Amino acid sequence: MSAITLYDLPGCPFCMKVRRKLDELDLEYDVVEVPRVHAERTEVKEVSGQTGVPVIVDEDHGVDGMPESSDIVDYLEETYQ
């Protein structure tokens, strides 16, 4: 199990942006695919307080549920580059 977990929806362009950055930085990460229906996204809501994706958890750096693709990409660049 990796320290980074990405909550993802297949086909979501914002999620793909985060995946590209994770891959570009050669980071290992686990993916949790969320349901298409927001009301069924209980796990991501528990982690981040909202139902939108992408969301990451980075246990090694104390990130418990960061939303917003641009914020995630900025965080990954600052932390892992």
Side-chain angles (χ1 to χ4, degrees):
M1 184 171 175
S2 178
I4 298 174
T5 302
L6 171 64
Y7 290 84
D8 178 272
L9 179 65
C12 165
F14 302 106
C15 297
M16 291 179 359
K17 175 181 176 180
V18 172
R19 278 182 177 247
R20 277 194 301 272
K21 182 53 68 175
L22 287 161
D23 293 341
E24 176 186 312
L25 295 171
D26 199 30
L27 296 171
E28 290 185 25
Y29 59 98
D30 295 319
V31 175
V32 176
E33 289 188 11
V34 301
R36 290 209 170 274
V37 178
H38 280 261
E40 297 174 4
R41 296 181 184 177
T42 54
E43 186 175 354
V44 75
K45 183 160 183 153
E46 289 172 9
V47 168
S48 67
Q50 47 92 49
T51 59
V53 288
V55 167
I56 67 161
V57 172
D58 185 353
E59 293 176 9
D60 287 348
H61 292 92
V63 174
D64 292 330
M66 178 183 291
E68 302 298 330
S69 60
S70 294
D71 292 343
I72 294 169
V73 167
D74 289 346
Y75 163 76
L76 293 171
E77 288 175 345
E78 290 171 15
T79 306
Y80 291 101
Q81 213 157 320

